[in-house]
Amino acid sequence: HVQLVESGGGSVQAGGSLTLSCVFSGDTYTSNYMSWFRQAPGKEREGVACIFGDTRLTYYKNSVKGRVTVSQDHAKNTMYLQMLSLKPEDTAMYYCAADIGAWNCEGGNWSIADFGYWGQGTQVTVS
């Protein structure tokens, strides 16, 4: 079992930056793959970035590539999402997710179906 707790959301102006954090606890091996998703009002939850803990390899959706960086600090059991040059269309609830075998991350084609553990979300608003 894995517990995930996000933080770091807030309200920023367009062009600003935020860094989200996701602290994970429990069976950390189950968190072998971790991902950030986001869900805007009226839209489906979509993947943003994914990281494979063993190799630290990272994967990004095209909509955010070049503006976000996902990373992990294993000593702190924390995953981060650094977001730069934020746009109003980045406004959403951001969720972290974890699972042992989200291999679709490696094809850049992961979805909510690949992850079984979720945090409660942190709101990002860009105006």
Side-chain angles (χ1 to χ4, degrees):
H1 191 63
V2 172
Q3 296 83 41
L4 305 168
V5 180
E6 304 96 331
S7 62
S11 296
V12 296
Q13 292 188 337
S17 62
L18 277 175
T19 297
L20 308 182
S21 300
C22 173
V23 177
F24 53 94
S25 59
D27 181 2
T28 55
Y29 183 70
T30 304
S31 307
N32 210 22
Y33 285 90
M34 295 193 70
S35 178
W36 286 99
F37 284 77
R38 66 185 181 186
Q39 187 167 20
K43 294 188 176 181
E44 294 185 352
R45 194 172 298 189
E46 62 172 358
V48 174
C50 189
I51 185 166
F52 178 38
D54 280 1
T55 61
R56 309 287 180 97
L57 287 174
T58 57
Y59 310 91
Y60 299 96
K61 292 293 188 178
N62 288 336
S63 59
V64 298
K65 198 173 291 185
R67 297 191 298 119
V68 306
T69 302
V70 61
S71 61
Q72 272 185 330
D73 183 336
H74 287 282
K76 296 182 179 179
N77 279 358
T78 303
M79 175 177 67
Y80 302 97
L81 185 70
Q82 182 185 35
M83 302 189 291
L84 306 175
S85 302
L86 283 162
K87 305 174 182 180
E89 49 264 45
D90 294 317
T91 294
M93 185 71 79
Y94 283 71
Y95 299 89
C96 73
D99 214 299
I100 190 171
W103 298 286
N104 283 331
C105 281
E106 299 179 25
N109 201 28
W110 70 99
S111 71
I112 59 174
D114 295 303
F115 291 88
Y117 298 96
W118 294 85
Q120 81 291 349
T122 186
Q123 178 68 38
V124 172
T125 303
V126 185
S127 58

